[in-house]
Amino acid sequence: MSLSLKLYRLATSLAAPALPWWLNRRAAIGKEIPARLPERHGIASLPRPPGQLIWVHAASLGETMSALPLVAALARHAGVLLTTGTVTSAQLAAERAAAIHQFVPLDVPRAVDRFLDHWRPDAAIFLESELWPNMLAGLDARATPRFLFNARLSPRSAARWRRFPRAIRQVFGGFALIAAQSPRDATRLRGLGLRDIESWGNLKFATPDLPDDEAARAALAKACPGPWLLAASTHPGEDIPVIEAHRALRVLHPSLTTIIVPRHPHRADAIASLAGGVPLARRSRGELPVPGGLYLADTIGELGIFYRLCPLAFIGGTLVPIGGHNMIEAAQLGCATVVGPHYENQFEAMTTLHSVGALVDVADFMDLEATLIRLMSNTAHLKAMGSAGRRICEGFADLPDRLARRVLEAIP
């Protein structure tokens, strides 16, 4: 074991007595579920099922969404244990995953040993970049095959890892397969001296469509004849450009209805104050939109309705330096997308969708307005963009099954 990993193991062991206090603090602010804190110490709340059991670990909500189709593919052949680290990802797993769910244990030796001794997984799968040295060492000690899927490595992380060449070999070299989510990530991983890095594609393109509520969508369509425009996951600094674009578009399309879905619904009052003389209705109050007005969707979990209703969406977190939000969800439902210049966190999805003509990027808020005017005036082009996005997502439909087969083949 490298010196850096030995020091890490010592540090986590020494920190273990303080961790219950830290977990209780997190529980007090809603970041942990008090009744399930023992799971974070490796104490299982459920028995191990008989037969083969494959463990899949997804850190938070985004990784859990990516894991769902893979979990479903594995569950057709074996039992699946899905671990996550956040309350929201646990809720999603409970609602939509065909697996046993547990919170991932803290990466301290005693918690890891309790977890692995109870569950005895026949294989372990980690998603993206969620790697815990004590857990990996525990799996290796038990000769459990481990896999890294949808692997990603940022330039900053690659630079940090290069400072610990021996740790690289021990952490990354023990994987039976590393499947990168993009050629860029594969190149960075190879730059660490790793061999046999494969690029299978991004699992996020194979995630299930966002849920729909046909009755709610029909009520909106009945209230307004359209056209419809969506601004999804907006942040402060993006609502004013969207409202100004709505004013400009309404000159050409008097019955245009623009839906604004703030990333954080608690901003609803602040957004409503920006509407000026434009009619505005709020979904949280049970109101319906009016033709030519704004519809403030200050609720959670309803983007699937709006992507199906609107032919065009601006994806927030891109006009301001946030890094962007999920663009694939819109493409899966045939919704053309526009993004600003700040899409660092969604670079691979953005470039993939842009390459097939499903997405347009703009330089600033003035460019946004001009682009929305141009696109909303060409319904045939919007349909072509939506179809292109849907097709590229459908091309990844078999990815979960192909990855699942590789795992199942590796189990003795």
Side-chain angles (χ1 to χ4, degrees):
M1 183 179 291
S2 69
L3 177 60
S4 57
L5 292 180
K6 288 179 180 177
L7 291 173
Y8 173 85
R9 187 173 181 85
L10 175 62
T12 52
S13 297
L14 293 173
L19 293 177
W21 173 85
W22 177 72
L23 287 172
N24 286 328
R25 287 289 302 272
R26 283 175 54 85
I29 58 175
K31 291 188 175 183
E32 301 281 349
I33 299 175
R36 297 183 65 178
L37 285 181
E39 294 173 29
R40 301 288 265 150
H41 296 287
I43 301 170
S45 61
L46 296 168
R48 185 198 189 280
Q52 285 188 341
L53 183 68
I54 300 171
W55 169 35
V56 178
H57 175 59
S60 56
L61 191 61
E63 292 86 352
T64 305
M65 282 294 296
S66 301
L68 291 178
L70 176 61
V71 166
L74 291 166
R76 290 192 283 271
H77 306 279
V80 181
L81 168 68
L82 174 63
T83 60
T84 65
T86 65
V87 172
T88 53
S89 59
Q91 292 169 342
L92 177 66
E95 294 169 1
R96 303 178 64 182
I100 298 168
H101 177 267
Q102 296 279 275
F103 281 103
V104 67
L106 299 171
D107 196 47
V108 297
R110 288 188 65 185
V112 165
D113 286 339
R114 287 192 200 104
F115 176 85
L116 293 177
D117 288 343
H118 175 81
W119 292 107
R120 304 186 312 280
D122 294 285
I125 301 169
F126 297 85
L127 291 182
E128 299 203 8
S129 57
E130 180 79 357
L131 302 176
W132 295 102
N134 288 326
M135 185 64 78
L136 297 180
L139 290 167
D140 292 345
R142 292 163 175 80
T144 305
R146 53 181 169 98
F147 300 80
L148 180 59
F149 289 165
N150 234 38
R152 62 181 177 88
L153 189 69
S154 69
R156 182 179 298 179
S157 295
R160 284 199 298 263
W161 273 109
R162 278 193 288 270
R163 294 159 52 194
F164 306 101
R166 287 191 63 193
I168 289 172
R169 290 194 295 273
Q170 291 177 353
V171 170
F172 290 96
F175 284 106
L177 171 64
I178 298 179
Q181 66 175 247
S182 75
R184 287 201 327 157
D185 292 295
T187 298
R188 290 196 193 105
L189 287 161
R190 294 187 189 106
L192 299 181
L194 302 172
R195 298 181 179 179
D196 302 323
I197 305 297
E198 302 179 23
S199 180
W200 286 49
N202 194 334
L203 268 170
K204 290 180 179 177
F205 280 97
T207 55
D209 293 348
L210 289 176
D212 189 18
D213 184 331
E214 292 185 12
R217 182 156 49 92
L220 292 173
K222 183 177 179 181
C224 295
W228 292 84
L229 173 66
L230 174 63
S233 300
T234 64
H235 287 259
E238 295 180 319
D239 307 298
I240 290 179
V242 168
I243 293 171
E244 290 305 309
H246 173 84
R247 293 179 190 274
L249 278 161
R250 204 169 53 166
V251 175
L252 300 171
H253 309 280
S255 62
L256 172 76
T257 304
T258 297
I259 303 173
I260 300 176
V261 184
R263 182 69 175 181
H264 303 108
H266 66 78
R267 293 199 308 110
D269 289 342
I271 297 171
S273 69
L274 303 174
V278 181
L280 181 140
R282 288 175 62 161
R283 186 159 183 79
S284 64
R285 296 176 179 174
E287 299 168 351
L288 287 172
V290 298
L294 298 169
Y295 193 45
L296 183 52
D298 48 346
T299 54
I300 294 176
E302 295 193 300
L303 270 175
I305 299 172
F306 307 133
Y307 282 137
R308 288 175 172 88
L309 183 66
C310 303
L312 177 64
F314 160 69
I315 307 297
T318 59
L319 272 184
V320 293
I322 299 296
H325 296 298
N326 195 319
M327 306 165 188
I328 297 171
E329 293 170 339
Q332 288 175 313
L333 296 173
C335 182
T337 53
V338 175
V339 300
H342 302 286
Y343 46 76
E344 305 81 45
N345 298 339
Q346 303 290 326
F347 182 85
E348 299 302 337
M350 183 274 175
T351 52
T352 299
L353 293 172
H354 189 277
S355 69
V356 298
L359 177 149
V360 175
D361 61 312
V362 299
D364 51 34
F365 70 92
M366 293 181 65
D367 194 13
L368 173 68
E369 182 175 310
T371 299
L372 292 177
I373 291 173
R374 173 172 58 84
L375 292 175
M376 290 296 292
S377 299
N378 191 336
T379 55
H381 183 54
L382 277 185
K383 288 181 180 178
M385 290 179 67
S387 296
R390 196 189 297 273
R391 281 196 304 273
I392 195 70
C393 294
E394 290 171 349
F396 288 88
D398 68 336
L399 178 58
D401 286 308
R402 290 191 288 120
L403 290 170
R405 281 197 297 271
R406 284 294 293 266
V407 175
L408 294 165
E409 289 167 1
I411 297 176

